[in-house]
Amino acid sequence: MTTAPPAAAPPARWDEQRSFDELGRPLHDVTFCVVDLETTGGSVADGDMITEIGAVKVRGGEVLGEFQTLVNPHTSIPAFIAVLTGITNGMVADAPPVGAALPAFLEFARGSVLVAHNARFDVGFLRHFAREQDLVWPDFEVLDTVRLARHVVTRDEAPNHKLSSLARVFRSGTTPNHRALADARATVDVLHGLMERLGGLGVHTLEELQGYSSKVASAARRKRHLAEHLPHAPGVYLFRDDSSRVLYIGTSRDLRRRVRSYFTASEKRTRIGEMVQIATSVSAVECATPLEASVRELRLIAEHKPPYNRRSRHPEKVTWLKLTREPWPRLSLVKRVLDDDADYLGPFSSRAAAESSLAALHEVFPIRQCNDRLARQPRRSSCVLAEMDRCLSPCDGSVDPQTYAAVVRQLRDTLLRRPDDVVDLVHARMAALAEQERFEEAAHHRDRLADFVRAAARTQRLTALTGCPEVVATRREDDGRWAVHVVRHGRLAAAGVIPAGADAVAYVDGLRATAETVLPAIGPTPAATAEESERILRWLESPGVRLVDVVGEWACPVRGAGRHAATPTPLSPTTVAP
């Protein structure tokens, strides 16, 4: 596969001005608004009200401003709350109501990251009363010091993660006393203490702080520099160990951002966490389009067989269902397609699915199931299948060649063009079994039918594409540019993006001229793996794709298996197994 060389073009908008989320915001540049509330109780659902709001705005360790106001709750403050906070009914009698205090606070906090100790409580109250007052809630990002502390402060240091306990651990200059401003000041000291500790673990941006989890090992977190040289572009990334062995391969529309995520709490897979511990480098293959990246990923996985990839490592391990060409044809399971003029169904990714499809066909077509070759005029005794009327029994002369050939022609038509005979008969059998409340047997037939229909639809779709010497298609991508792909015999031969202002026709002609030469494979076998051809098909069938040129005939049978594969085949709704 070739990729069109990059041409001079104005950078895409996301290249000119990357989002903060992609680059990461250094903590010393972030403005935090640390807020604390005092209330009449613990739940807005119970009608509790705010009695005080306190907040401190800080950036880079410097206090930018403070906000404090009592709030008239227009309800009596419970005695135990008054004792706890020191806020009495008399103190709030002349205070502004929440309708006046809250807009002032929101204006003070605007443009900052909200921080609170147990943010769910404080922010929950604020959001509730903003809705109640018909105020627009700013799109605040929220940081919870309790959640962070649970990952940073051990039980040996503090008996719990209450604000008073953490204030002692981090030697806060303010002692929390259940008054909003004092508790907000103490929370500022706790926040700075947490950030200082996490800085030693490689947490330097707001995004890393928000995603921090003690489940991410320090050694893995320190490896985030492995992503720094990667581009913000689609492509394939390869994790390698100290001997350059490929451990894991993946693909992304943004290589740098995706690889960085492996060193944060967003990565929760145990196996991948183990892989990151072993990895010492990450290399990348930049691609012109996401489809090219997806295809290259498949090819690289098949080539390197990385131990931490579960799928696509062995595309060669497939099974085909073959209708043989011999005097008395039969169905058999084979590992590869030969140039023998036989008809093939598949490929199946598992032998079990192939055997299931084989059983579904044998239910309908009584051709022989023995594995050896028969002479044109066999002289053998019949088997038990003949006695059960499940085989025409050519071995003992029970059927003439013309009658047997007619059944085989019907079977071949089912495999290649229309599976209606199998679908109708199995549906009838399922209905009869369900009528007798033999639900497990009916479900067994349903699963066999589903395996066969999927395989037939797959074969017909792959055969249609792989029979075309060339298909050229284009689609406008999210960034407004046109992606072009050249597909030859089901294999991606070239990919590129038309530069802004370029002559589209000339660009496509140049891409076709430099595309990989692809020779047809035998029978329905794609020139690539079946998985690659299917990914290409999904792209070709996606909304917005425009065909530039098709060499050959790209079409599937009108009455093919695809129309059955798109429709589930459940048991009758009135007879669904319990």
Side-chain angles (χ1 to χ4, degrees):
M1 175 171 53
T2 62
T3 302
R13 184 182 305 168
W14 62 271
D15 251 342
E16 294 173 339
Q17 183 177 356
R18 304 201 191 283
S19 72
F20 283 130
D21 186 51
E22 288 171 335
L23 295 176
R25 289 163 283 180
L27 290 173
H28 58 76
D29 289 338
V30 177
T31 300
F32 296 99
C33 181
V34 182
V35 64
D36 185 81
L37 304 181
E38 299 305 328
T39 65
T40 61
S43 173
V44 291
D46 295 335
D48 292 318
M49 305 292 290
I50 297 173
T51 58
E52 187 177 32
I53 303 174
V56 182
K57 190 183 292 186
V58 294
R59 182 175 63 236
E62 178 185 354
V63 175
L64 303 180
E66 293 186 337
F67 177 95
Q68 187 277 331
T69 181
L70 290 168
V71 180
N72 190 336
H74 293 291
T75 187
S76 179
I77 300 175
F80 76 94
I81 294 291
V83 171
L84 179 67
T85 65
I87 301 174
T88 65
N89 290 320
M91 292 171 61
V92 298
D94 296 326
V98 70
L102 185 53
F105 166 73
L106 293 178
E107 185 60 35
F108 173 80
R110 191 175 302 278
S112 62
V113 175
L114 280 189
V115 181
H117 199 70
N118 188 12
R120 183 177 180 182
F121 175 85
D122 297 277
V123 177
F125 265 86
L126 293 170
R127 290 180 68 98
H128 169 80
F129 286 107
R131 285 194 302 270
E132 195 172 82
Q133 300 296 321
D134 289 328
L135 298 175
V136 176
W137 178 260
D139 190 18
F140 287 120
E141 294 178 87
V142 178
L143 197 63
D144 192 341
T145 49
V146 166
R147 190 192 67 79
L148 278 175
R150 286 173 181 155
H151 294 302
V152 177
V153 179
T154 67
R155 291 288 182 180
D156 294 335
E157 297 177 277
N160 52 53
H161 297 104
K162 294 180 179 179
L163 181 59
S164 56
S165 300
L166 296 173
R168 285 192 293 271
V169 170
F170 293 110
R171 299 177 182 178
S172 172
T174 304
T175 300
N177 61 3
H178 294 290
R179 289 300 299 270
L181 185 57
D183 286 7
R185 288 169 176 167
T187 304
V188 169
D189 292 335
V190 169
L191 174 65
H192 287 156
L194 291 169
M195 292 193 324
E196 184 178 354
R197 284 197 182 186
L198 292 173
L201 298 176
V203 176
H204 301 299
T205 67
L206 176 62
E207 289 68 35
E208 291 167 340
L209 188 65
Q210 289 170 323
Y212 179 79
S213 168
S214 58
K215 293 180 181 178
V216 181
S218 298
R221 194 180 301 281
R222 285 194 293 267
K223 290 183 177 181
R224 74 187 188 288
H225 69 276
L226 297 179
E228 297 307 313
H229 69 286
L230 301 179
H232 286 284
V236 183
Y237 53 88
L238 300 87
F239 280 86
R240 300 175 183 269
D241 62 14
D242 53 7
S243 61
S244 292
R245 179 179 63 132
V246 176
L247 300 172
Y248 181 79
I249 297 174
T251 182
S252 175
R253 290 176 177 269
D254 187 324
L255 288 165
R256 189 179 198 181
R257 184 178 181 183
R258 179 68 185 101
V259 172
R260 280 175 66 92
S261 72
Y262 283 89
F263 312 113
T264 69
S266 62
E267 180 50 68
K268 303 183 186 302
R269 294 170 292 177
T270 303
R271 275 174 56 85
I272 299 303
E274 177 184 298
M275 181 276 296
V276 170
Q277 295 280 346
I278 302 171
T280 59
S281 66
V282 183
S283 59
V285 179
E286 190 172 343
C287 299
T289 68
L291 176 61
E292 184 194 0
S294 178
V295 167
R296 284 190 180 275
E297 177 194 32
L298 289 175
R299 296 179 187 178
L300 287 168
I301 290 174
E303 176 186 349
H304 294 283
K305 296 180 171 38
Y308 288 92
N309 283 91
R310 292 186 181 276
R311 301 178 60 186
S312 308
R313 289 196 299 167
H314 300 285
E316 70 281 1
K317 292 184 178 181
V318 295
T319 302
W320 294 83
L321 186 57
K322 175 180 179 178
L323 177 60
T324 62
R325 289 278 185 173
E326 52 185 311
W328 303 97
R330 57 193 168 85
L331 291 169
S332 66
L333 300 181
V334 297
K335 291 296 183 183
R336 60 196 181 97
V337 174
L338 301 176
D339 189 10
D340 56 1
D341 202 30
D343 298 298
Y344 292 86
L345 184 73
F348 296 87
S349 56
S350 73
R351 187 175 179 87
E355 290 173 344
S356 180
S357 296
L358 178 63
L361 290 167
H362 279 150
E363 288 281 343
V364 180
F365 300 101
I367 63 172
R368 68 188 185 96
Q369 298 183 35
C370 44
N371 294 325
D372 52 348
R373 296 182 67 87
L374 289 181
R376 290 189 179 275
Q377 296 181 336
R379 301 211 192 306
R380 298 186 185 177
S381 58
S382 62
C383 64
V384 67
L385 290 175
E387 297 173 9
M388 297 169 62
D389 292 327
R390 294 185 57 187
C391 178
L392 293 173
S393 190
C395 51
D396 65 354
S398 296
V399 63
D400 60 85
Q402 293 76 19
T403 302
Y404 193 89
V407 174
V408 170
R409 281 195 301 273
Q410 191 178 5
L411 171 56
R412 181 175 292 112
D413 186 63
T414 295
L415 293 179
L416 303 181
R417 282 173 288 278
R418 50 190 302 271
D420 293 12
D421 290 338
V422 174
V423 172
D424 293 344
L425 190 142
V426 174
H427 274 168
R429 190 159 295 169
M430 286 164 50
L433 290 169
E435 187 79 20
Q436 302 169 38
E437 298 188 0
R438 295 161 62 183
F439 300 115
E440 290 188 5
E441 290 180 63
H444 188 56
H445 284 285
R446 177 198 61 200
D447 294 342
R448 282 182 176 177
L449 177 62
D451 284 334
F452 164 69
V453 168
R454 279 194 297 266
R458 188 184 200 194
T459 302
Q460 290 167 6
R461 293 175 74 243
L462 288 177
T463 301
L465 181 64
T466 58
C468 292
E470 185 176 88
V471 175
V472 183
T474 182
R475 186 181 72 181
R476 187 187 291 275
E477 297 299 312
D478 294 340
D479 59 6
R481 299 183 299 170
W482 287 91
V484 184
H485 296 106
V486 179
V487 181
R488 291 175 174 170
H489 296 294
R491 180 180 176 87
L492 187 62
V497 177
I498 301 175
D503 183 316
V505 174
Y507 180 87
V508 171
D509 288 344
L511 192 65
R512 295 173 76 171
T514 58
E516 175 186 357
T517 298
V518 179
L519 299 177
I522 299 170
T525 310
T529 63
E531 192 171 359
E532 174 179 330
S533 296
E534 285 182 313
R535 291 196 183 183
I536 293 170
L537 273 169
R538 284 196 293 272
W539 184 86
L540 288 170
E541 295 166 352
S542 63
V545 169
R546 300 184 183 182
L547 292 178
V548 176
D549 193 17
V550 176
V551 179
E553 185 178 288
W554 181 29
C556 284
V558 173
R559 300 183 61 81
R563 63 194 179 96
H564 295 291
T567 307
T569 56
L571 304 180
S572 169
T574 59
T575 55
V576 174

